[in-house]
């Protein structure tokens, strides 16, 4: 099994929250975005760009990723951010969560395997929505994209066109 | 879109609703209500960037129907949904799916532990095909957990069994076997063909991969071959035991499937590599027919089970019957497991031993009017086969015993006909069998003897 921790992950995988975030967000800061096209973060950044989100790389080692200026930290970004999407080790999350609160982001989104109850609590106390151990690309593809074309279980049932 | 209830939770649709709807919404372009048959080999790209993104798996897009097809995808998602998995990948047949599922996680030097009570074709595939790939195999009596445990080696990469064994009707104790596997970081692979997700969902009991021959009850009408592999999405392929799944893939320009796609990584690799390279894709037309079958799966299975239970009870009381192997009978040793894993019924395939051996079995089959004598199961029509005079004809009584059957074993796949007619027909067969029983058994056995130099391995039961 992937996780042996006692975090109540389901509380951070609420479908309504996820759908609202996917539908309302425009700007997504990606912390730990890699310039390597084979890295998961790059897959997600590329995909979100294709689907009309403005992505903001946060990576102190790079100046530009996927055609966007890269910032050393969240607090260096000079414009509002809707979602802070995190591809870092769980230990880095509390600090990132504090910065996400400081810049007034609307949500903290922790990717597959990024599990941090402390980070989640900091973000929630700061008024942010939190999603944990979910992939933003997958959730977009499930609710608004074409994930069903590859036979994945989207859970969607509808008789509406 | 999923409807959200006033309490904020998404509405949880029932099994029967999902059997009709999951995986298919009305076609957004035409409004077509039935699933369109996308009988196309390939798909026009919007532009070169999109084409590149599809091939790089950076975007979900259609490229070529050996790898994906929208009609097939509706079938894949439907079964993935009904089994409670992350999704599905469909194949041209059950065995094509099984080979690809194993191929995806194995490499030379690996080892598999499998139940010895399996469909004959699976036994052959595991024994001979895997050996060619330098994968070793241990068959164990599925009823003894200590044997499963004792067979596990450092190189073991999968535990494999059937929910309901073919043709012995044994019920697998899935939960402790799954736990045993997980304690060793090994996935449990279950062939759920005979149960279907309506009768049992192995993922709910800890199984990691569920395989179906959709040819059988899922399609349900004997029209189309097909297979599907479902993965739960919870197994940790990055636990160190599965570099073949977790490491950057040389067959996909260095992509690390589990890291990149998380809970969808195994299925992505199964599709983008194994299906692509082995090539056993399901045809869109078969997917259409199989989807039609799945829409009525719940009501068909109820009727299959009801007829099967009544016929099993009829057989138990019959003077021409020595033994009935059906977990749905209360005095079956598998009844407690059936109550746990198969509360709605033990399926509709089972076997019995007729008195009078080979000759009696042959006579019964020859007299039948309504039961179809053929090598398949899971049709709306009732099917019957007598292994000793057909698929296992070359075997002597001793060899038959080794294969887990006797000269008088008869396997039934109970269909949806009027129960009285099925029993009426069997009764006529028994009368003929009684007339023939025992008298020319030796002659029949002699007729079935091996021709010298001919391979004696039996044709497998389907
Ligand atoms: C239990 C079981 N598994 C797998 C298979 C193989 O399926 P297929 O014939 O679709 O390859 C069969 C029957 O053939 C079967 O009965």
């Amino acid at each position: 099994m992937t996780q042996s921790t006692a975090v109540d992950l389901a509380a951070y995988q609420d479908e309504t929250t996820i759908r609202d975030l996917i539908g309302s967000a425009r700007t997504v800061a990606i912390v730990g975005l890699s310039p390597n096209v084979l890295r998961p973060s790059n897959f997600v950044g590329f995909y979100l760009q294709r689907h009309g989100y403005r992505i903001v790389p946060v990576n102190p080692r790079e100046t530009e990723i996927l055609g966007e200026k890269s910032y050393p930290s969240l607090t260096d970004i000079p414009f509002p951010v809707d979602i802070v999407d995190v591809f870092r080790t769980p230990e880095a999350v509390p600090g990132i969560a504090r910065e996400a609160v400081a810049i007034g982001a609307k949500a903290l989104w922790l990717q597959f395997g990024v599990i941090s109850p402390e980070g989640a609590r900091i973000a929630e106390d700061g008024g942010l929505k939190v999603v944990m151990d979910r992939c933003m690309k997958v959730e977009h593809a499930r609710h608004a994209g074409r994930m069903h074309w590859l036979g994945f279980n989207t859970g969607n049932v509808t008789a509406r066109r | 879109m999923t409807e959200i209830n006033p309490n904020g939770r998404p509405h949880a649709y029932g099994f029967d609703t999902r059997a009709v709807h999951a995986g298919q919404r009305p076609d957004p372009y035409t409004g077509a209500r039935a699933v369109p048959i996308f009988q196309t080999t390939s798909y026009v790209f919007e532009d070169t960037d999109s084409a590149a993104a599809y091939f790089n798996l950076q975007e979900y897009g259609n490229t070529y129907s050996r790898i994906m097809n929208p009609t097939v995808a509706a079938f894949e998602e439907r079964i993935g949904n009904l089994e409670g998995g992350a999704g599905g990948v469909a194949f041209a047949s059950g065995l094509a799916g099984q080979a690809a599922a194993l191929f995806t996680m194995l490499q030379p030097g690996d080892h598999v532990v499998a139940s010895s009570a399996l469909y004959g074709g699976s036994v052959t595939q595991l024994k001979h095909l895997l050996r060619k790939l330098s994968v070793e195999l241990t068959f164990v009596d599925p009823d003894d957990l200590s044997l499963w445990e004792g067979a596990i080696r450092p190189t073991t990469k999968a535990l494999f069994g059937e929910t309901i064994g073919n043709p012995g009707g044994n019920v697998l104790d899935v939960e402790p076997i799954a736990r045993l596997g997980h304690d060793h970081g090994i996935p449990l692979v279950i062939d759920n063909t005979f149960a279907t997700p309506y009768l049992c969902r192995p993922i709910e009991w800890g199984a990691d991969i569920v395989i179906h021959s959709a040819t059988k009850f899922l399609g349900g009408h004997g029209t189309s071959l097909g297979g599907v592999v479902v993965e739960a999405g919870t197994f940790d392929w990055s636990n160190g035991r599965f570099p073949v799944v977790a490491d950057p893939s040389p067959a996909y320009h260095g992509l690390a499937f589990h890291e990149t796609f998380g809970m969808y990584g195994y299925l992505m690799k199964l599709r983008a590599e194994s299906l692509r390279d082995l090539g056993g894709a399901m045809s869109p037309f078969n997917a259409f027919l199989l989807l039609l079958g799945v829409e009525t799966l719940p009501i068909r299975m109820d009727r299959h089970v009801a007829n099967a239970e009544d016929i099993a009870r009829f057989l138990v009381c019959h003077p021409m019957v020595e033994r009935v192997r059906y977990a749905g009978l209360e005095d079956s040793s598998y009844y407690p497991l059936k109550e746990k894993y198969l509360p709605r019924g033990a399926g509709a395939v089972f076997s019995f031993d007729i008195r009078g051996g080979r000759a009696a079995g042959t006579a019964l089959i020859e007299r039948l009017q309504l039961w179809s004598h053929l090598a398949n199961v899971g049709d709306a029509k009732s099917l019957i086969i007598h292994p000793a005079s057909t698929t296992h004809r070359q075997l002597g009584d001793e060899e038959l015993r080794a294969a887990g059957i006797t000269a008088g074993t008869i396997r039934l796949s109970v269909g949806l006909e009027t129960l009285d007619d099925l029993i009426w027909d069997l009764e006529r067969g028994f009368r003929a069998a009684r007339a023939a029983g025992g008298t020319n058994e030796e002659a029949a056995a002699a007729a079935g003897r091996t021709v010298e130099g001919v391979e004696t391995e039996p044709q497998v039961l389907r």
Side-chain angles (χ1 to χ4, degrees), chain B residues 214-252:
Chain B
T215 314
K216 320 297 180 193
F217 294 97
L218 291 180
H221 298 79
T223 62
S224 318
L225 285 157
V228 61
V229 179
V230 172
E231 200 227 355
T234 47
F235 187 77
D236 182 10
W237 297 101
S238 300
N239 66 5
R241 216 180 244 263
F242 293 92
V244 72
V245 180
D247 283 2
S249 171
Y252 223 102

Coordinates of all heavy atoms in Angstrom, one line a residue, chain B residues 214-252:
Chain B
A214 N -13.8 -11.5 -20.9 CA -15.1 -10.9 -21.1 C -16.0 -11.7 -22.1 O -17.2 -11.5 -22.2 CB -14.9 -9.5 -21.7
T215 N -15.3 -12.7 -22.7 CA -15.9 -13.7 -23.6 C -17.1 -14.4 -22.9 O -18.0 -14.8 -23.6 CB -14.9 -14.8 -23.9 OG1 -13.7 -14.1 -24.3 CG2 -15.3 -15.7 -25.0
K216 N -17.0 -14.5 -21.6 CA -18.0 -15.3 -20.8 C -19.2 -14.5 -20.4 O -19.9 -13.9 -21.2 CB -17.3 -16.0 -19.7 CG -15.9 -16.5 -20.0 CD -15.9 -17.6 -21.0 CE -14.4 -18.1 -21.3 NZ -14.3 -18.9 -22.5
F217 N -19.4 -14.3 -19.0 CA -20.6 -13.7 -18.6 C -20.7 -12.2 -18.8 O -21.8 -11.7 -18.9 CB -20.8 -14.0 -17.1 CG -21.0 -15.4 -16.7 CD1 -19.9 -16.2 -16.4 CD2 -22.2 -16.0 -16.8 CE1 -20.1 -17.6 -16.1 CE2 -22.4 -17.4 -16.6 CZ -21.4 -18.1 -16.2
L218 N -19.6 -11.5 -18.9 CA -19.7 -10.1 -19.2 C -20.4 -9.8 -20.5 O -21.3 -9.1 -20.6 CB -18.3 -9.4 -19.2 CG -17.6 -9.3 -17.8 CD1 -16.2 -8.7 -18.0 CD2 -18.4 -8.6 -16.8
G219 N -19.9 -10.5 -21.5 CA -20.6 -10.4 -22.8 C -22.0 -11.1 -22.7 O -23.0 -10.6 -23.1
G220 N -21.9 -12.4 -22.3 CA -23.0 -13.1 -21.9 C -23.8 -13.8 -23.0 O -24.8 -14.5 -22.7
H221 N -23.5 -13.6 -24.2 CA -24.3 -14.2 -25.3 C -23.4 -15.0 -26.3 O -23.9 -15.3 -27.4 CB -25.0 -13.0 -26.0 CG -26.0 -12.3 -25.2 ND1 -25.6 -11.3 -24.3 CD2 -27.3 -12.4 -25.0 CE1 -26.6 -10.9 -23.6 NE2 -27.7 -11.5 -24.0
G222 N -22.2 -15.3 -25.9 CA -21.4 -16.1 -26.8 C -21.1 -15.6 -28.1 O -20.8 -16.3 -29.1
T223 N -21.0 -14.3 -28.2 CA -20.8 -13.7 -29.6 C -19.3 -13.2 -29.8 O -18.9 -13.2 -30.9 CB -21.6 -12.4 -29.8 OG1 -21.3 -11.4 -28.8 CG2 -23.1 -12.7 -29.7
S224 N -18.6 -12.8 -28.7 CA -17.4 -12.1 -28.9 C -16.3 -12.5 -27.9 O -16.6 -12.5 -26.7 CB -17.7 -10.6 -28.7 OG -18.9 -10.2 -29.3
L225 N -15.2 -12.7 -28.4 CA -14.0 -12.8 -27.5 C -13.6 -11.4 -27.0 O -13.7 -10.4 -27.6 CB -12.8 -13.4 -28.2 CG -13.0 -14.9 -28.5 CD1 -12.1 -15.3 -29.7 CD2 -12.6 -15.7 -27.3
G226 N -13.1 -11.4 -25.8 CA -12.6 -10.2 -25.2 C -12.0 -10.4 -23.8 O -12.3 -11.4 -23.2
G227 N -11.1 -9.5 -23.4 CA -10.5 -9.6 -22.1 C -10.4 -8.2 -21.6 O -10.3 -7.2 -22.3
V228 N -10.3 -8.1 -20.3 CA -10.0 -6.8 -19.7 C -9.2 -6.9 -18.4 O -9.4 -7.9 -17.7 CB -11.3 -6.0 -19.5 CG1 -12.2 -6.7 -18.5 CG2 -11.1 -4.5 -19.0
V229 N -8.3 -6.0 -18.2 CA -7.4 -6.0 -17.0 C -7.8 -4.7 -16.2 O -7.7 -3.6 -16.8 CB -5.9 -6.0 -17.3 CG1 -5.1 -6.0 -16.1 CG2 -5.6 -7.3 -18.2
V230 N -8.1 -4.9 -14.9 CA -8.4 -3.8 -14.1 C -7.4 -3.7 -13.0 O -7.0 -4.7 -12.5 CB -9.8 -3.9 -13.4 CG1 -10.1 -2.9 -12.4 CG2 -10.9 -3.9 -14.5
E231 N -6.9 -2.5 -12.6 CA -6.0 -2.4 -11.5 C -6.6 -1.5 -10.4 O -7.2 -0.5 -10.7 CB -4.6 -1.8 -11.9 CG -3.5 -2.2 -10.9 CD -2.6 -1.0 -10.5 OE1 -2.8 0.1 -11.0 OE2 -1.8 -1.2 -9.6
A232 N -6.3 -1.9 -9.2 CA -6.9 -1.1 -8.1 C -6.3 0.3 -8.0 O -7.0 1.2 -7.6 CB -6.7 -1.8 -6.7
G233 N -5.1 0.4 -8.3 CA -4.4 1.7 -8.2 C -3.8 2.0 -6.9 O -3.4 3.1 -6.6
T234 N -3.8 1.0 -6.0 CA -3.3 1.2 -4.6 C -1.9 0.5 -4.4 O -1.3 0.7 -3.4 CB -4.3 0.8 -3.6 OG1 -4.7 -0.5 -4.0 CG2 -5.5 1.7 -3.5
F235 N -1.5 -0.3 -5.3 CA -0.3 -1.1 -5.0 C 0.9 -0.2 -5.2 O 1.0 0.6 -6.1 CB -0.2 -2.3 -6.0 CG 1.0 -3.2 -5.6 CD1 0.9 -4.0 -4.6 CD2 2.2 -3.1 -6.4 CE1 2.0 -4.8 -4.2 CE2 3.2 -3.9 -6.1 CZ 3.2 -4.8 -5.0
D236 N 1.9 -0.3 -4.3 CA 3.1 0.5 -4.4 C 4.2 -0.1 -5.3 O 5.0 -0.9 -4.9 CB 3.7 0.7 -3.0 CG 4.9 1.6 -3.1 OD1 5.2 2.2 -4.1 OD2 5.6 1.8 -2.0
W237 N 4.1 0.2 -6.6 CA 5.0 -0.4 -7.6 C 6.5 0.1 -7.4 O 7.4 -0.4 -7.9 CB 4.6 -0.1 -9.0 CG 3.3 -0.7 -9.3 CD1 2.0 -0.1 -9.3 CD2 3.0 -2.1 -9.6 NE1 1.0 -1.0 -9.6 CE2 1.6 -2.3 -9.8 CE3 3.8 -3.2 -9.7 CZ2 1.0 -3.5 -10.1 CZ3 3.2 -4.5 -10.0 CH2 1.8 -4.6 -10.2
S238 N 6.6 1.2 -6.5 CA 7.9 1.7 -6.3 C 8.5 1.1 -5.0 O 9.4 1.8 -4.4 CB 7.8 3.2 -6.2 OG 7.4 3.8 -7.4
N239 N 8.1 0.0 -4.5 CA 8.5 -0.6 -3.3 C 9.9 -1.3 -3.4 O 10.4 -1.9 -2.5 CB 7.5 -1.6 -2.7 CG 7.3 -2.8 -3.6 OD1 8.0 -3.0 -4.6 ND2 6.4 -3.7 -3.2
G240 N 10.5 -1.2 -4.6 CA 11.8 -1.8 -4.8 C 11.8 -3.1 -5.5 O 12.9 -3.6 -6.0
R241 N 10.7 -3.8 -5.4 CA 10.6 -5.1 -6.0 C 10.3 -5.1 -7.5 O 10.4 -6.1 -8.2 CB 9.5 -5.9 -5.3 CG 9.7 -7.4 -5.1 CD 8.5 -8.0 -4.4 NE 8.9 -8.5 -3.1 CZ 9.2 -9.8 -2.9 NH1 9.2 -10.7 -3.9 NH2 9.5 -10.2 -1.7
F242 N 9.9 -3.9 -8.0 CA 9.4 -3.8 -9.4 C 10.1 -2.7 -10.2 O 9.4 -1.8 -10.7 CB 7.9 -3.6 -9.4 CG 7.1 -4.7 -8.8 CD1 6.8 -4.7 -7.5 CD2 6.7 -5.8 -9.7 CE1 6.1 -5.8 -7.0 CE2 6.0 -6.8 -9.1 CZ 5.7 -6.9 -7.8
P243 N 11.4 -2.9 -10.4 CA 12.1 -1.9 -11.2 C 11.5 -1.9 -12.6 O 11.5 -0.8 -13.3 CB 13.5 -2.4 -11.2 CG 13.5 -3.8 -10.8 CD 12.3 -3.9 -9.9
V244 N 10.9 -3.0 -13.1 CA 10.4 -3.1 -14.4 C 9.2 -2.1 -14.6 O 8.9 -1.7 -15.7 CB 10.1 -4.5 -14.8 CG1 8.9 -5.1 -14.0 CG2 9.9 -4.7 -16.3
V245 N 8.5 -1.8 -13.5 CA 7.4 -0.9 -13.5 C 7.8 0.5 -13.1 O 7.4 1.5 -13.7 CB 6.2 -1.3 -12.6 CG1 5.1 -0.3 -12.7 CG2 5.7 -2.7 -13.0
A246 N 8.7 0.6 -12.1 CA 9.0 1.9 -11.5 C 10.2 2.6 -12.2 O 10.2 3.9 -12.3 CB 9.4 1.7 -10.0
D247 N 11.2 1.9 -12.7 CA 12.3 2.6 -13.3 C 12.0 3.3 -14.6 O 11.0 2.9 -15.3 CB 13.5 1.5 -13.5 CG 14.2 1.2 -12.2 OD1 13.7 1.7 -11.2 OD2 15.1 0.3 -12.3
P248 N 12.8 4.2 -15.0 CA 12.7 4.9 -16.3 C 12.6 3.8 -17.4 O 13.5 2.9 -17.4 CB 13.9 5.8 -16.4 CG 14.3 6.1 -15.0 CD 14.0 4.8 -14.2
S249 N 11.6 3.9 -18.3 CA 11.5 2.8 -19.2 C 12.2 3.0 -20.5 O 12.0 4.0 -21.2 CB 10.0 2.6 -19.6 OG 9.8 1.7 -20.6
P250 N 13.1 2.0 -20.9 CA 13.8 2.1 -22.1 C 12.8 2.0 -23.3 O 13.1 2.5 -24.4 CB 14.8 1.0 -22.1 CG 14.2 0.0 -21.1 CD 13.5 0.8 -20.1
A251 N 11.6 1.4 -23.1 CA 10.7 1.2 -24.2 C 9.8 2.5 -24.4 O 9.0 2.5 -25.2 CB 9.8 0.0 -24.0
Y252 N 10.0 3.5 -23.5 CA 9.2 4.7 -23.6 C 10.1 5.9 -23.3 O 9.8 6.6 -22.3 CB 7.9 4.7 -22.7 CG 6.7 5.2 -23.5 CD1 5.8 4.4 -24.1 CD2 6.6 6.6 -23.7 CE1 4.7 4.9 -24.8 CE2 5.6 7.1 -24.5 CZ 4.6 6.2 -25.0 OH 3.6 6.7 -25.8

